[in-house]
Amino acid sequence: MNYLPLKLLITILLFCLSFMANAQNETPKDSISNELNEVVISKEKKMFTNANGNVKIDVANSVYSTIPNPIDLLSKLPSVQIGSDRESISIVGKGNPLIYIDGQKGTITDLNALSVADIKTVEIIKNPSSKYEAEGRAVILITRKVSKKDSFKTEISEVASFKRNYNNYLGFNSSFKKDKLEWKANFNYNLRNPWENHSLEYEIPKASIVSNYDVTANSRVKEYVFGGGVFYKINEDDYLSVNINGKMRNDTFDINTFTFNQNQSQVNNVFTFSENSSAKNFLNSFINYSKKIKAIDTKLFIGFQGSNYNQHLLSLVQNNFNETDFKLSQNRDQKFNVDVFSGRIDLEKKFKNEVTLEYGGLYLKAKSKSNADIFDFEEGKSEVSDYDFKEENLAAYVQFSGKLKKIDFSFGLRTENTNVYSKFKAQVLPSIDKNYTNLFPKADLTIPIDSTKSINVNYSKSIVRPNYSSLSQIATYINPYFLYGSSINLGPAFVDELSSSFQYRDKTLKLSYYQTKDVTNPSFVFNEETNVLMITDINFKRERGFTIDFTLPFTYKFWTTTNSLIFVKSKVEDDTALLHPSKPYLYYYSNNTFKLPKDFSFVFSFWGTTKQNDGIFERKANFVVDMSLAKTFGKNWSCTLNYNDIFKATSYTDTFTVNNVHSKFKYLVDANEISIAVRYSFGKIKDSEYKQKSVNESENRIR
């Protein structure tokens, strides 16, 4: 193995937070005292703040604090798009962001292990510095509430959600601090009944096949989300922390699929019914140690992290051809497990001339196994397949940041060596053996014009890696002619981006150009022997794009509005796809908050996109409207009424031609919702010093 200096990540600044204090009413006895016990200075906090296109949202002091889960919270924020499967997040014009919690890297699973009530702020960083690891063009930074004084706080929340089916979310969140020891714990029990529907029309002219299907799934989901940790402050500069969090999900779901298939002159109408049960479990734990080496005035951090994700999917499939009888088709037993271990070291040295030097290294090892045992009732035999995957990363980075006269600067370089080996146990296909090294430079300059105006210039090179589960062999059976599959040959994509922004007070105009090599997109694989079509992700040749981003906040009396306009023109290219002229599209977002008498708050927000065409993929326009009404009762109780996707407009339509397959997908999202949230809190903690730092920089790939 080639151990060249390597890759990733850094930790971020931990935003110090303040808690709102309540002044006590003065009594006659107080008025005759010469002691001044407390002075309270109150200032209305903005829900949204903006700097150089990076938007920060004050969750704790808004109606968003009662949203039942973090994924729904993010869906309310500007430029954030949630995947129809609720397992992916993207930023308009930026792709999939990294997730950081208190300056520490996490995953969607870590995000779901949080209580929204424990979140103070969310920041969308569209040009992350080299302090953030090389994977990702944007960062979602979540900062939790913090405290210092010896005390405790406990919060209990209950959310009743009415979509097509009823959903319930029960949450518990607690913190306790005594002297140098502090702990946090949270537990959520969610009972969900999601409804999903999508349809596909496709043609394969080469094989004279015309087909379409409409599939609906009704699920019964039980989720247990938990987290806990202990932080011990050794002295003013040193600490030790241990943390664990996880999510256990069990669901059963029936899938009903109606299919029309014409293969030359043969026509079939098929009703497919499958009974499915799925278990997905995630566990993440880490130990951190931080020490200040006073002899050289340097901060040292050492951390170790271990993560495990496993999935077990059972499916019993029956088909009814042309309104005859149901016949058993397949019994599918599929398993996937991945274990990841990582260790890292970071050092930070500050000089008197306001320059900071940061450097460090990381080692990561991942090992996954996937197993598929598929019994075909018609042929009366099983097909068993085992696939093993191993990956090792070795990374190193260095970064200089500071101020030269009035100019803020940051320059960093990261290098990464990756070694990948994978194979099927029954050596049907050749093994995959890769070893490659990459450099990731980043640079950022902020030049002030005067006290209200500044210009920012940024360059970065980044990488987008596939999730470990995408590199498995798990496939979902839709009907006798169609599968959703993974791709063991999927590789990383590399992005070069140059941007510049102009900031005037709290308003921003930003221009960006990017080019992505080996961009990941869906493609079709047709098996001529079985006449089965599979859709899977592959690496396309490239994507190039240009964005113009306006962020326009405004406040007038009791009305505060934040508006975002993003013009995007992108072009995707690949030899396997049918290309069309690309066209620009507009993403728009507006959040309007009204502070009403008697502790009422009303929020009216909407977002949408015009029709999109990037040269291969065409997507229809969208327009979604949400409303919220919140009321606080004293210091302990709050209640929020939410009405989401009022016009039932959340749907996605994709049209594209790849590998000579013409297709049109339509996804209906169960987003129309009325929910009632009640929250009760007691106790109080101030000035927490709780810290945890993620060690595994590829943790977002574990799902």
Side-chain angles (χ1 to χ4, degrees):
M1 177 178 174
N2 184 16
Y3 282 95
L4 297 178
L6 260 272
K7 174 185 131 184
L8 254 74
L9 181 77
I10 295 165
T11 318
I12 317 155
L13 42 149
L14 187 41
F15 288 93
C16 293
L17 307 156
S18 49
F19 226 82
M20 298 178 67
N22 294 315
Q24 298 179 347
N25 294 328
E26 184 179 309
T27 64
K29 183 177 179 180
D30 295 326
S31 64
I32 60 175
S33 172
N34 290 326
E35 278 189 52
L36 182 61
N37 292 324
E38 185 177 15
V39 174
V40 177
I41 301 175
S42 63
K43 181 181 179 181
E44 188 69 25
K45 293 187 177 181
K46 294 182 179 180
M47 185 187 301
F48 292 86
T49 55
N50 167 58
N52 294 321
N54 299 326
V55 178
K56 188 174 182 179
I57 300 92
D58 180 9
V59 176
N61 298 295
S62 70
V63 296
Y64 291 161
S65 62
T66 56
I67 292 176
N69 61 76
I71 292 294
D72 287 338
L73 167 64
L74 294 182
S75 71
K76 303 283 189 181
L77 306 184
S79 73
V80 177
Q81 304 279 280
I82 304 299
S84 57
D85 59 358
R86 295 175 61 85
E87 295 290 335
S88 63
I89 302 172
S90 64
I91 303 292
V92 175
K94 290 287 186 178
N96 301 116
L98 297 174
I99 298 172
Y100 278 80
I101 301 171
D102 285 344
Q104 304 134 38
K105 189 156 183 302
T107 67
I108 289 184
T109 305
D110 290 308
L111 185 64
N112 280 320
L114 286 180
S115 167
V116 173
D118 197 32
I119 296 176
K120 180 68 174 177
T121 61
V122 177
E123 187 172 4
I124 303 167
I125 304 173
K126 295 186 177 180
N127 270 336
S129 72
S130 56
K131 291 185 66 175
Y132 300 90
E133 57 114 350
E135 185 180 356
R137 298 165 54 203
V139 168
I140 294 179
L141 175 62
I142 295 172
T143 305
R144 297 188 295 174
K145 297 176 182 177
V146 291
S147 55
K148 278 182 185 173
K149 291 185 178 178
D150 291 351
S151 189
F152 78 97
K153 183 175 182 180
T154 298
E155 190 167 86
I156 301 172
S157 62
E158 163 66 20
V159 179
S161 165
F162 303 88
K163 295 186 176 182
R164 286 179 180 263
N165 301 312
Y166 175 72
N167 304 276
N168 193 83
Y169 306 84
L170 178 64
F172 169 86
N173 187 69
S174 185
S175 300
F176 174 81
K177 185 177 187 300
K178 179 67 175 177
D179 298 326
K180 296 182 178 182
L181 185 68
E182 180 178 358
W183 64 261
K184 286 177 177 283
N186 67 276
F187 178 79
N188 295 76
Y189 177 54
N190 304 328
L191 286 174
R192 302 195 298 112
N193 297 282
W195 174 92
E196 302 172 70
N197 175 271
H198 80 268
S199 60
L200 168 64
E201 302 172 9
Y202 65 89
E203 296 181 27
I204 310 175
K206 182 179 178 180
S208 300
I209 291 176
V210 177
S211 187
N212 64 71
Y213 69 76
D214 185 279
V215 57
T216 301
N218 285 285
S219 303
R220 294 167 293 280
V221 179
K222 292 182 180 180
E223 289 178 334
Y224 302 89
V225 180
F226 58 90
V230 176
F231 170 77
Y232 181 73
K233 185 175 181 179
I234 301 170
N235 55 46
E236 192 63 31
D237 299 309
D238 307 339
Y239 71 85
L240 176 70
S241 67
V242 179
N243 192 80
I244 185 170
N245 58 54
K247 178 181 178 181
M248 296 186 296
R249 168 176 169 164
N250 293 285
D251 57 321
T252 57
F253 52 100
D254 297 335
I255 300 179
N256 302 310
T257 308
F258 295 91
T259 304
F260 167 83
N261 183 272
Q262 180 177 349
N263 188 340
Q264 298 182 8
S265 60
Q266 184 179 3
V267 177
N268 284 302
N269 291 283
V270 186
F271 175 52
T272 302
F273 174 75
S274 64
E275 300 174 86
N276 305 272
S277 64
S278 173
K280 296 180 180 180
N281 299 314
F282 173 78
L283 187 65
N284 181 37
S285 59
F286 43 89
I287 300 174
N288 295 337
Y289 174 67
S290 179
K291 180 175 179 59
K292 185 171 183 179
I293 307 173
K294 296 182 180 179
I296 56 175
D297 193 23
T298 298
K299 290 183 180 179
L300 168 69
F301 170 82
I302 299 174
F304 300 96
Q305 184 169 355
S307 305
N308 172 265
Y309 172 82
N310 67 78
Q311 178 183 357
H312 189 189
L313 175 62
L314 291 168
S315 303
L316 181 63
V317 183
Q318 305 176 66
N319 288 313
N320 184 327
F321 284 81
N322 303 313
E323 299 183 356
T324 54
D325 295 323
F326 277 102
K327 292 184 178 180
L328 290 172
S329 175
Q330 291 186 358
N331 187 14
R332 305 172 65 87
D333 185 353
Q334 301 178 92
K335 299 175 183 178
F336 174 74
N337 183 85
V338 58
D339 292 291
V340 183
F341 169 80
S342 60
R344 68 175 298 148
I345 181 170
D346 296 303
L347 297 106
E348 178 182 329
K349 167 75 173 176
K350 291 187 177 181
F351 298 92
K352 293 182 179 179
N353 57 357
E354 296 188 39
V355 172
T356 300
L357 168 65
E358 294 168 278
Y359 55 100
L362 173 139
Y363 172 76
L364 178 144
K365 184 175 183 179
K367 184 178 181 180
S368 72
K369 293 180 177 291
S370 60
N371 169 268
D373 185 349
I374 300 173
F375 181 79
D376 190 301
F377 286 94
E378 184 176 343
E379 297 183 3
K381 64 178 183 180
S382 288
E383 181 179 341
V384 180
S385 177
D386 292 284
Y387 180 71
D388 293 343
F389 173 88
K390 296 179 182 179
E391 180 180 310
E392 285 185 296
N393 286 343
L394 186 64
Y397 73 91
V398 61
Q399 174 174 291
F400 291 91
S401 59
K403 186 173 252 185
L404 183 61
K405 294 185 178 179
K406 293 185 178 181
I407 299 176
D408 292 311
F409 69 87
S410 174
F411 299 99
L413 180 65
R414 186 180 300 274
T415 178
E416 174 186 2
N417 175 256
T418 302
N419 190 357
V420 175
Y421 180 78
S422 62
K423 69 172 183 177
F424 285 93
K425 286 188 177 180
Q427 198 73 29
V428 180
L429 297 174
S431 60
I432 296 173
D433 193 351
K434 300 178 182 178
N435 192 313
Y436 53 88
T437 300
N438 299 105
L439 296 175
F440 301 100
K442 289 194 176 184
D444 186 271
L445 292 174
T446 300
I447 306 167
I449 300 173
D450 56 32
S451 60
T452 61
K453 295 185 285 292
S454 65
I455 294 175
N456 176 269
V457 180
N458 181 281
Y459 167 76
S460 66
K461 183 173 183 177
S462 57
I463 186 172
V464 181
R465 303 181 185 86
N467 298 320
Y468 295 120
S469 58
S470 300
L471 301 172
S472 72
Q473 55 174 333
I474 286 181
T476 302
Y477 183 101
I478 300 298
N479 60 44
Y481 316 104
F482 196 87
L483 294 173
Y484 275 87
S486 303
S487 175
I488 62 174
N489 295 305
L490 194 61
F494 297 89
V495 186
D496 286 278
E497 183 169 13
L498 180 65
S499 66
S500 180
S501 64
F502 173 73
Q503 179 86 16
Y504 175 65
R505 298 188 188 277
D506 57 354
K507 299 169 178 61
T508 302
L509 166 63
K510 185 172 186 177
L511 309 177
S512 300
Y513 172 80
Y514 68 91
Q515 178 170 290
T516 305
K517 180 183 176 183
D518 297 328
V519 62
T520 300
N521 277 305
S523 181
F524 293 106
V525 178
F526 179 63
N527 188 321
E528 295 182 1
E529 294 182 2
T530 62
N531 286 326
V532 173
L533 182 67
M534 183 172 71
I535 188 169
T536 184
D537 286 339
I538 69 167
N539 294 109
F540 281 30
K541 183 184 293 184
R542 71 172 67 91
E543 178 182 2
R544 291 177 289 183
F546 183 80
T547 63
I548 305 174
D549 189 339
F550 294 90
T551 305
L552 306 168
F554 175 75
T555 300
Y556 179 74
K557 295 185 178 179
F558 60 89
W559 173 39
T560 300
T561 179
T562 297
N563 305 286
S564 178
L565 298 173
I566 305 177
F567 295 88
V568 182
K569 188 177 189 301
S570 62
K571 184 177 182 180
V572 179
E573 301 175 55
D574 194 75
D575 296 336
T576 65
L578 178 64
L579 303 180
H580 303 281
S582 63
K583 298 178 182 179
Y585 72 91
L586 170 66
Y587 165 87
Y588 51 91
Y589 169 93
S590 181
N591 178 283
N592 302 270
T593 303
F594 301 89
K595 291 291 184 181
L596 304 178
K598 297 185 178 180
D599 294 323
F600 277 98
S601 294
F602 176 70
V603 175
F604 171 78
S605 64
F606 61 88
W607 70 270
T609 60
T610 59
K611 185 177 179 180
Q612 304 176 45
N613 185 336
D614 62 13
I616 296 179
F617 301 93
E618 297 181 30
R619 298 177 176 93
K620 77 174 189 68
N622 234 342
F623 178 68
V624 178
V625 178
D626 300 331
M627 292 192 301
S628 297
L629 180 66
K631 164 71 174 173
T632 58
F633 301 89
K635 297 180 179 180
N636 302 102
W637 290 92
S638 66
C639 181
T640 304
L641 175 65
N642 293 296
Y643 190 7
N644 299 322
D645 190 15
I646 295 172
F647 301 114
K648 301 182 180 180
T650 306
S651 64
Y652 303 94
T653 300
D654 288 355
T655 303
F656 59 96
T657 299
V658 177
N659 276 335
N660 297 314
V661 179
H662 311 305
S663 65
K664 181 180 180 180
F665 284 88
K666 184 175 182 180
Y667 303 86
L668 299 179
V669 181
D670 190 16
N672 178 252
E673 176 188 35
I674 296 176
S675 68
I676 302 173
V678 178
R679 186 174 65 184
Y680 175 72
S681 60
F682 57 92
K684 192 177 232 185
I685 295 184
K686 293 183 179 179
D687 306 325
S688 169
E689 298 173 89
Y690 188 93
K691 301 175 185 177
Q692 62 183 37
K693 184 173 182 178
S694 179
V695 178
N696 178 7
E697 296 177 343
S698 294
E699 189 185 346
N700 61 308
R701 299 167 63 195
I702 309 174
R703 62 172 178 82

